[in-house]
Amino acid sequence: MTFEFATATRIVFGEGRLREVGAITAALGTRALVAEGASGRADALVALLRAAGVATTRLTVAGEPTTALAEAGVEQARRARCDVVVALGGGSVIDAGKAVAALLTNPGVLRDYLEVVGAGTPLTERAAPSVAIPTTAGTGAEVTRNAVLAAEAERVKVSLRSPLMLPTVALIDPELTYGLPPELTASTGLDALTQCIEPFVTPQANPLTDAVAREGMRRAAGALRRAYHDGADVEARRDMAVASLCGGLALANAKLGAVHGFAAPLGGRFPVPHGVACARLLAPATEVNVRALRERDPASPALPRYAEVARLLTGRAEAEPEDAAAWLRRLIEELRVPPLSAFGVAAADAPALAAKARVASSMQGNPVVLTDDELTEILRDALAPRTPEATA
């Protein structure tokens, strides 16, 4: 057995710990580029930084980050002589911050380092110091080693990827998620759950990713419904913040699978939020994977792992691998996640999207090689999903 496990230099977790951001950042630099969403929620953060003697310049990340935005952020940071990056927001904001931090210390231009649409040259220098502060419980981007960016000309999402991009500090304050509306609680929470399940069933799993994935699944199974129906449930919000962190730790050190294999090409061609894509693909991908394993590789260690997933989700000791998909279907319907057809995806798009998903880097972690028909089935199911009763 051989494996590696890498994460942020420091993880700071707990309610109210945003108040420590001034001292944390001041120990890393004196001029901060603050990456934020379009909501203006970073005002309090900026005040804390300035009170600690850290000068700030602000970069707004409206929607999912593009390669052009990352390049503009680097120029802005250089003009302001920034030596530290602080990102407050969801996965899109944190990814933008990580990309800017990486490009501040590495020569050349962004496309020198991008996968798929660029040269894919490895980064050689550690990214500038950065602090990643999530405001959703979903992507775990505060502890991942890549930044997902939209290459608009090619209509595809691509990654800037390197262990040298891991944030210096991941600061997770569950209080920042208290105001999430139900629909965002659902989509980001299901993204977190996906990022615990896929690294757990991949052949590239290891004992440390197994441990955090199990913990993330256990917490999400008990907390996601509660956080959705009652956003003021403090314990549920805390558990989902832990689940999101666990998912980030797991995916950064193992592999993902078919769900994320589809998510990248979908997000590149259609206005589907990443969390919604993962949420709608999770149950059909689980169902198809289990069936394919039963038919073609019944001795695969992934089958008992899917059985463990089912036990963790359902709480039933006798649960079988197929029960995981049934439980997920019921949850996704209860949380009212819109189908992919709501974003303009049609059945006619399935073959082209399946072809792109097949060669996506995430697909390489799937526990079984899926056929074109199986990939198409997953996508078409997510377009107009069957109800749990229809599958009985």
Side-chain angles (χ1 to χ4, degrees):
M1 179 188 298
T2 62
F3 64 89
E4 297 182 13
F5 194 96
T7 190
T9 304
R10 181 183 177 195
I11 298 173
V12 177
F13 186 100
E15 285 87 355
R17 299 204 71 176
L18 180 65
R19 292 189 293 270
E20 301 173 33
V21 72
I24 288 171
T25 306
L28 301 174
T30 59
R31 295 176 179 271
L33 177 79
V34 177
E36 60 177 316
S39 66
R41 291 189 66 184
D43 291 349
L45 167 67
V46 167
L48 289 166
L49 294 174
R50 289 178 176 171
V54 179
T56 61
T57 182
R58 298 167 75 160
L59 172 69
T60 299
V61 183
E64 298 194 1
T66 63
T67 55
L69 181 134
E71 290 165 339
V74 174
E75 291 306 310
Q76 180 180 341
R78 286 178 175 153
R79 285 195 305 270
R81 294 180 290 131
C82 294
D83 53 6
V84 61
V85 175
V86 181
L88 174 82
S92 294
V93 175
I94 293 175
D95 277 0
K98 288 190 294 186
V100 170
L103 293 170
L104 277 175
T105 56
N106 283 273
V109 297
L110 174 58
R111 292 207 172 221
D112 292 339
Y113 305 104
L114 284 177
E115 298 176 351
V116 182
V117 300
T121 303
L123 296 175
T124 57
E125 302 296 329
R126 184 167 297 281
S130 64
V131 182
I133 311 168
T135 58
T136 65
T139 66
E142 67 274 13
V143 289
T144 59
R145 59 179 80 189
N146 70 304
V148 179
L149 305 171
E152 293 180 297
E154 292 85 358
R155 298 182 67 193
V156 66
K157 286 186 178 180
V158 296
S159 280
L160 178 64
R161 191 187 310 271
S162 172
L164 299 174
M165 292 175 58
L166 284 162
T168 313
V169 179
L171 195 163
I172 303 101
D173 185 338
E175 289 183 0
L176 296 174
T177 69
Y178 288 1
L180 275 183
E183 61 273 15
L184 278 178
T185 298
S187 61
T188 58
L190 284 161
D191 186 17
L193 181 55
T194 302
Q195 292 173 171
C196 292
I197 292 174
E198 289 197 309
F200 188 70
V201 299
T202 182
Q204 287 78 25
N206 66 63
L208 293 183
T209 61
D210 285 350
V212 293
R214 285 188 181 101
E215 184 67 10
M217 284 186 279
R218 183 184 69 80
R219 288 182 184 260
L224 183 48
R225 277 192 178 91
R226 289 164 37 219
Y228 174 81
H229 290 295
D230 179 9
D233 186 327
V234 172
E235 183 180 353
R237 291 295 195 188
R238 181 187 307 129
D239 279 351
M240 287 310 302
V242 174
S244 178
L245 174 63
C246 288
L249 292 168
L251 77 89
N253 291 281
K255 289 279 189 180
L256 289 164
V259 173
H260 281 82
F262 269 114
L266 271 169
R269 289 188 57 188
F270 299 94
V272 186
H274 177 77
V276 172
C278 290
R280 271 303 178 188
L281 290 161
L282 180 55
T286 301
E287 182 176 290
V288 169
N289 274 340
V290 169
R291 188 179 69 227
L293 288 163
R294 292 268 197 213
E295 293 173 353
R296 299 197 293 276
D297 193 6
S300 169
L303 275 173
R305 282 178 173 265
Y306 271 118
E308 186 172 353
V309 170
R311 292 193 294 270
L312 286 165
L313 297 181
T314 66
R316 295 190 289 109
E318 74 281 6
E320 295 291 333
E322 289 78 3
D323 295 326
W327 186 92
L328 289 166
R329 286 187 186 278
R330 288 190 291 270
L331 176 67
I332 291 160
E333 295 306 319
E334 181 179 339
L335 271 51
R336 302 177 67 84
V337 180
L340 298 185
S341 56
F343 301 92
V345 189
D349 299 309
L353 288 168
K356 287 187 176 295
R358 176 175 296 286
V359 297
S361 59
S362 292
M363 189 66 76
Q364 310 316 306
N366 205 58
V368 58
V369 176
L370 299 175
T371 66
D372 289 342
D373 286 346
E374 287 166 337
L375 290 171
T376 300
E377 177 186 347
I378 290 170
L379 186 63
R380 287 181 170 163
D381 191 331
L383 291 175
R386 291 169 286 146
T387 64
E389 291 75 19
T391 66

